[in-house]
Amino acid sequence: MDFNDFLQAAFNFNDYAELLPLVRNSIIAGAVLGVVGGLIGTFVMMRDMAFAVHGIAELSFAGAAFALLIGANVVFGSLIGSVVAAMLLGVLGFRARDRNSIIGVIMPFGLGLGILFISLYQGRSANKFGLLTGQIVSVDTVQLNLLAGCAIAVIIALLLIWRPLTFASADPDLAEARGLPVNGLSIVFMFLLGVSVALSIQVVGALLVLALVITPAAAALRVTSSPRMVVVLSVLFAMTAVVGGILVAVGGRIPISPYVTTISFLIYVVCRLIGSRRRKHGHRRRGSPALTRSGPVV
């Protein structure tokens, strides 16, 4: 394949107007997932749990693969796998060292189970591949309603515990000393994270879910220190990456996930450059001599 063949496979908009209505449900699902991913990703970054998302995604993939094997609802299988992994991490991994070791055990186990179930599945190969990389036209009306319902439940739950969870994430020791149920909040958050990861896998796949849950929040943290703006930008970046990736992927033969991850990565690179430039200007201002009416103070 030469470069022209690659461009033809990745960006072909000849029948774009006819294909766009086919991904209407996926666009709506992508916007919903952008909101959920942006909100939950903010707390993931605050709690330094990026590695945990990957571990949860592996067991979610195993649950989805098992559901595919037995002919059950793939979304339910993914949800069960994610929640099981998240609750294990929430109950057993309160400390970072314990959590990382548990993730290191869960990841290969979940991936191994997923590969086993997929190898036993005799159906369409596209269904197997879609669990790993996402499927642009896989969201039907029933799945969209389920996804939207779960997403709304996650958002409401996050809003209800937003202030104590923020306090417990920023300074868990002080929050515990003030009487907050830090361990209980951690378990609730892990449950919500598990549901969010399972929902995200439906569109972007198990291997690249980090681009939706981690990268937007990481990008937002590079350009602002305001907690509110971090949340707003994280949601905006996540929605841009998912919806933009879907819209671009309509015109190509490549799975959706490379488009989503590329847009998400470019957003992060731009934000990192902006953040670096701001810090340089800040250092120059602090390092410059203070000026008075009579001149610089030496």
Side-chain angles (χ1 to χ4, degrees):
M1 175 182 286
D2 58 21
F3 186 68
N4 290 330
D5 293 333
F6 168 75
L7 290 179
Q8 187 68 17
F11 308 103
N12 184 357
F13 300 102
N14 294 332
D15 302 319
Y16 193 81
E18 291 77 11
L19 294 174
L20 194 59
L22 299 176
V23 296
R24 172 180 169 275
N25 285 346
S26 293
I27 293 173
I28 298 173
V32 171
L33 290 177
V35 176
V36 175
L39 291 175
I40 205 80
T42 304
F43 288 104
V44 170
M45 295 303 296
M46 289 179 64
R47 301 171 75 90
D48 193 20
M49 298 185 66
F51 190 40
V53 174
H54 197 35
I56 294 171
E58 301 294 359
L59 209 56
S60 181
F61 162 65
F66 181 72
L68 188 66
L69 175 63
I70 64 176
N73 189 302
V74 174
V75 178
F76 278 123
S78 179
L79 280 169
I80 292 172
S82 283
V83 170
V84 168
M87 296 309 292
L88 283 174
L89 293 176
V91 173
L92 301 178
F94 288 120
R95 296 182 179 179
R97 182 179 300 177
D98 295 335
R99 185 171 62 236
N100 289 336
S101 62
I102 294 169
I103 296 169
V105 173
I106 289 177
M107 281 179 57
F109 175 68
L111 187 59
L113 283 179
I115 292 173
L116 171 64
F117 298 145
I118 279 186
S119 63
L120 295 174
Y121 177 67
Q122 300 299 318
R124 297 175 56 215
S125 59
N127 292 334
K128 303 178 183 180
F129 196 56
L131 293 179
L132 294 172
T133 61
Q135 298 186 64
I136 189 171
V137 293
S138 65
V139 183
D140 57 27
T141 303
V142 176
Q143 290 174 322
L144 177 60
N145 292 334
L146 175 62
L147 185 148
C150 293
I152 291 172
V154 169
I155 293 171
I156 292 174
L158 272 178
L159 293 177
L160 289 175
I161 63 172
W162 190 276
R163 293 188 66 181
L165 183 61
T166 301
F167 189 15
S169 301
D171 194 337
D173 293 331
L174 181 58
E176 190 171 14
R178 293 284 182 88
L180 284 179
V182 174
N183 293 342
L185 286 171
S186 177
I187 293 174
V188 172
F189 172 73
M190 292 304 297
F191 176 81
L192 298 177
L193 178 60
V195 175
S196 302
V197 169
L199 297 179
S200 303
I201 283 175
Q202 187 176 356
V203 174
V204 298
L207 295 181
L208 302 172
V209 70
L210 295 176
L212 181 58
V213 180
I214 301 300
T215 310
L221 287 168
R222 304 298 304 187
V223 294
T224 181
S225 57
S226 168
R228 292 183 179 179
M229 283 305 300
V230 167
V231 175
V232 172
L233 290 178
S234 178
V235 171
L236 179 62
F237 293 159
M239 291 182 65
T240 301
V242 182
V243 176
I246 293 173
L247 292 176
V248 177
V250 171
R253 302 193 305 269
I254 299 174
I256 179 179
S257 49
Y259 298 98
V260 175
T261 54
T262 299
I263 294 174
S264 186
F265 176 74
L266 291 176
I267 291 173
Y268 176 79
V269 170
V270 172
C271 290
R272 188 176 181 90
L273 291 174
I274 293 173
S276 298
R277 178 168 294 184
R278 285 181 177 178
R279 282 194 298 275
K280 287 181 180 179
H281 287 313
H283 289 319
R284 289 175 182 174
R285 289 173 183 173
R286 287 192 296 268
S288 60
L291 295 178
T292 63
R293 293 180 180 178
S294 58
V297 177
V298 181

